[in-house]
Amino acid sequence: MVVGLIVVFYTRVVRVNPTTVALSFLLAVLIVSASWGLTVAVFMSLVAALAFNFFFLPPVGTLTIADTQNWLALLAFLFTAVMSSNLSERVRREARAANERRLEVERLYTFSQQLLVSENVVELLNKVPSHVAQTFGAANAAIYLIDRDRVYRAAGDAHFITKEELHIAAARSELVLDHARGLSLAPIRMGVRTLGVLAMETISLSPETLEAVASLIAVAIERAAAVEKLTRTEAARESERLRSALLDSVTHEFRTPLTSIKASVSSLLSEGQLGPEQRHELLTVIDEESDRLNRLVGEAVEMAQLDAHEVRLELEPHHISEVVEAAMEEAKPVIADNPVEVRIPPQLPPAVMDFGWITKVLTHLLENAVKYSSAGSPIFISAEVKGDRLITNVADRGSGIDDLERSLIFDKFYRGQSQRYRVQGTGMGLAIVKAIVEAHGGRISVTSQVGHGSVFSFGLPLAK
């Protein structure tokens, strides 16, 4: 059609010399070659050569050529048209290939970013096949690792390749492109060591890209394994440090009352003549330190029961004011030097709780407030309803807790950095409190300001 338009234009509209016609045909061939490819351009070159001969080379209207120079002009035109078409097609093909490489590089970058998200080997291996399939447009993808002898697949057809085939491909450690099945197999290597094989149900990627994808997976696996190993090492080191701190703390806490009891008993046995007041004082020390030792053992037992979920709660509706009175009575020897102000409205509805265990919660919070407050500093207990919860608060004006330690104080055996040597304790009190509150389906939190005190709050479900 293009050749026909050129012929009509130069025979009916404008009269020009054969050279101009030949250049017009040649330009049209180049345009067609760039748009539709080499085959169409070669066909058009032949049609244009025939039209050029028939309509523009003398004798016009025949396919014969009288002048030898016109033969040369026709052959030169045909050769130039075909060669130009070929060159245009080559440029077009190279541009298309360059664009495909650019897209593959962009996909490789996206894929590498996805691999950096996970630092756990198992999580990474479960996600990688899906990332491969989504990023590179594969119908299915699978990874087989030799060390684990396991196949990790994307969410697709699990039977597109068997485990035995993957095992054989990993053993061969060669790049395989199975065009009959549309399957690509790329070995996953770290240096000269083969970790496994990547299988993709696509052959659209270049071998270089397949090898790059497999190399990225190998690097990601090694990185995740290194991070996981480092994390385990750090956890083991931290566990050892906590174990040492725990042993030091528990040993100190148990040894202190035992030392006092031993010294008092030794004095009673060795001294020949002791006055009534001295004997009473030593017996009082034995009694108080025995109670302290009994309390330490009780806390350890409570923590063990709560951790093992062996505690059965007797949940019944109770008014929080009753629990506060019981807790204050139990903590009376501890809070004797600190005034406690109770701000509980009488119209508060009852909450569902185990009376005894919630009493322990308030007792621990009161003792904790006293430990970290100066003598004579007031302690405040308040309660309010928020939604379907009864929120109870225990506030003090002690030293406060900094932001870094606020998330750690409910951990077992943790004690504040600045107070652990000044204040006695095992660090189990707040951990017990948290476990009891969570067993009730509640949550405990703390707000604090260094130098101004802390407020511990826990919520319990209201009785229906």
Side-chain angles (χ1 to χ4, degrees):
M1 185 178 64
V2 172
V3 171
L5 290 174
I6 293 174
V7 169
V8 170
F9 182 77
Y10 284 136
T11 57
R12 301 293 179 85
V13 180
V14 179
R15 295 286 181 175
V16 293
N17 59 44
T19 303
T20 303
V21 176
L23 291 175
S24 299
F25 277 134
L26 186 61
L27 179 62
V29 168
L30 289 174
I31 294 173
V32 168
S33 175
S35 303
W36 285 287
L38 180 62
T39 303
V40 178
V42 170
F43 176 74
M44 181 179 175
S45 299
L46 296 173
V47 175
L50 293 174
F52 184 53
N53 181 14
F54 189 83
F55 291 102
F56 300 101
L57 291 180
V60 176
T62 66
L63 292 176
T64 60
I65 300 176
D67 192 350
T68 305
Q69 292 183 355
N70 291 337
W71 274 108
L72 294 175
L74 180 63
L75 292 175
F77 165 77
L78 182 60
F79 178 78
T80 304
V82 173
M83 290 299 297
S84 300
S85 300
N86 185 40
L87 291 174
S88 178
E89 172 64 16
R90 183 183 299 177
V91 171
R92 184 166 173 258
R93 186 167 56 249
E94 290 178 353
R96 183 169 60 250
N99 188 56
E100 290 175 355
R101 297 293 181 272
R102 178 184 62 81
L103 292 176
E104 288 181 358
V105 170
E106 291 177 354
R107 290 174 179 175
L108 282 172
Y109 175 76
T110 303
F111 182 61
S112 67
Q113 294 298 106
Q114 292 172 336
L115 294 180
L116 294 175
V117 174
S118 178
E119 296 182 350
N120 179 278
V121 174
V122 176
E123 180 185 358
L124 175 69
L125 292 173
N126 287 328
K127 290 182 177 179
V128 163
S130 298
H131 289 332
V132 170
Q134 293 171 4
T135 305
F136 297 98
N140 287 294
I143 291 176
Y144 172 76
L145 291 187
I146 298 174
D147 293 343
R148 296 174 181 261
D149 191 27
R150 182 177 174 184
V151 180
Y152 301 87
R153 301 180 184 272
D157 184 8
H159 303 290
F160 80 100
I161 187 169
T162 63
K163 181 179 178 181
E164 289 71 21
E165 291 178 297
L166 290 170
H167 181 77
I168 294 172
R172 292 176 59 185
S173 188
E174 296 178 355
L175 181 66
V176 177
L177 299 178
D178 189 344
H179 293 271
R181 299 171 59 185
L183 193 64
S184 301
L185 297 169
I188 300 174
R189 299 194 194 96
M190 177 54 66
V192 296
R193 182 166 57 97
T194 301
L195 303 180
V197 66
L198 166 67
M200 299 174 64
E201 198 171 11
T202 178
I203 55 172
S204 61
L205 299 179
S206 65
E208 295 80 8
T209 301
L210 288 171
E211 291 179 349
V213 172
S215 298
L216 284 174
I217 294 174
V219 171
I221 291 173
E222 290 295 305
R223 171 186 169 276
V227 171
E228 193 174 353
K229 184 178 180 181
L230 178 62
T231 302
R232 286 198 299 267
T233 303
E234 290 293 331
R237 187 182 297 117
E238 182 67 15
S239 176
E240 185 63 29
R241 188 186 66 80
L242 289 175
R243 187 181 295 111
S244 299
L246 167 63
L247 288 175
D248 291 342
S249 177
V250 172
T251 301
H252 179 268
E253 288 300 314
F254 277 88
R255 183 176 291 169
T256 301
L258 286 174
T259 302
S260 300
I261 293 171
K262 176 65 176 176
S264 299
V265 172
S266 298
S267 298
L268 288 171
L269 293 175
S270 61
E271 296 292 337
Q273 298 292 329
L274 288 176
E277 293 183 359
Q278 292 176 316
R279 292 177 62 83
H280 182 268
E281 183 179 350
L282 291 175
L283 290 172
T284 301
V285 170
I286 294 173
D287 182 61
E288 291 177 351
E289 295 300 325
S290 298
D291 290 340
R292 179 182 172 187
L293 190 60
N294 183 60
R295 186 171 64 255
L296 291 174
V297 174
E299 287 183 355
V301 172
E302 287 175 0
M303 195 71 254
Q305 290 176 336
L306 290 166
D307 279 345
H309 303 287
E310 294 179 354
V311 176
R312 290 188 176 182
L313 301 178
E314 297 180 3
L315 299 176
E316 295 180 358
H318 292 283
H319 288 280
I320 193 65
S321 57
E322 300 173 3
V323 183
V324 170
E325 290 177 5
M328 290 179 63
E329 183 63 28
E330 188 170 330
K332 191 173 182 179
V334 180
I335 62 176
D337 296 332
N338 296 78
V340 179
E341 184 177 334
V342 180
R343 302 171 179 174
I344 298 178
Q347 69 274 15
L348 283 180
V352 178
M353 69 182 81
D354 183 300
F355 189 91
W357 283 105
I358 297 301
T359 301
K360 289 182 182 294
V361 168
L362 282 169
T363 302
H364 280 298
L365 291 178
L366 287 171
E367 291 176 352
N368 189 75
V370 171
K371 282 182 182 180
Y372 296 97
S373 301
S374 58
S377 178
I379 298 171
F380 305 91
I381 301 176
S382 60
E384 59 182 333
V385 175
K386 287 186 178 180
D388 60 347
R389 298 272 166 174
L390 177 68
I391 308 299
T392 306
N393 309 297
V394 178
D396 62 64
R397 293 180 179 172
S399 56
I401 308 165
D402 62 32
D403 295 338
L404 181 62
E405 292 187 312
R406 203 173 301 167
S407 60
L408 302 173
I409 59 171
F410 293 107
D411 294 344
K412 285 185 291 186
F413 312 119
Y414 183 83
R415 301 176 64 204
Q417 296 283 350
S418 59
Q419 305 290 335
R420 62 178 54 175
Y421 300 109
R422 186 180 69 83
V423 179
Q424 294 181 345
T426 59
M428 288 191 291
L430 291 179
I432 291 173
V433 167
K434 180 184 178 183
I436 295 173
V437 172
E438 290 180 349
H440 282 76
R443 180 176 174 272
I444 188 166
S445 61
V446 59
T447 56
S448 183
Q449 186 176 0
V450 177
H452 293 81
S454 306
V455 180
F456 288 85
S457 306
F458 64 92
L460 296 171
L462 294 173
K464 296 181 180 179

